[in-house]
Amino acid sequence: MTEPTTLPPFSGDDPTCPKCSYTEAYTHYRAAGEPRPGELMIRGRGRPERLERCCQRCDFIWDEALNTPQEQRS
Ligand SMILES: [Zn+2]
């Protein structure tokens, strides 16, 4: 079993597309193992839970880490 790939942090509402430098992208939640559109589901070898970004200009898709609320320490 391989280590899950570390995802880059969530880049917020103004990401920069790595391919065309456009600064707006859609965000889609993907559960662990859920493939990208058009990818085959491979049981046990899927992608981690993540936020999938899709460039609004060129449709390039890349993955970012979840942006969960920080836990309060008391
Ligand atoms: Zn783009």
Side-chain angles (χ1 to χ4, degrees):
M1 191 167 178
T2 56
E3 287 286 316
T5 306
T6 302
L7 296 170
F10 182 65
S11 54
D13 293 327
D14 298 303
T16 300
C17 173
K19 300 300 181 184
C20 75
S21 298
Y22 196 62
T23 55
E24 290 186 45
Y26 300 108
T27 305
H28 304 285
Y29 171 76
R30 301 293 183 201
E34 187 176 343
R36 286 182 183 176
E39 276 189 341
L40 292 175
M41 174 81 82
I42 304 174
R43 186 175 297 276
R45 289 180 53 196
R47 297 171 180 276
E49 186 180 32
R50 65 204 186 276
L51 294 173
E52 182 182 277
R53 311 303 299 267
C54 179
C55 176
Q56 291 187 28
R57 181 160 71 179
C58 75
D59 281 349
F60 178 73
I61 292 173
W62 71 99
D63 294 332
E64 293 181 349
L66 301 179
N67 188 34
T68 55
Q70 299 296 314
E71 288 189 24
Q72 299 285 336
R73 293 189 180 189
S74 59

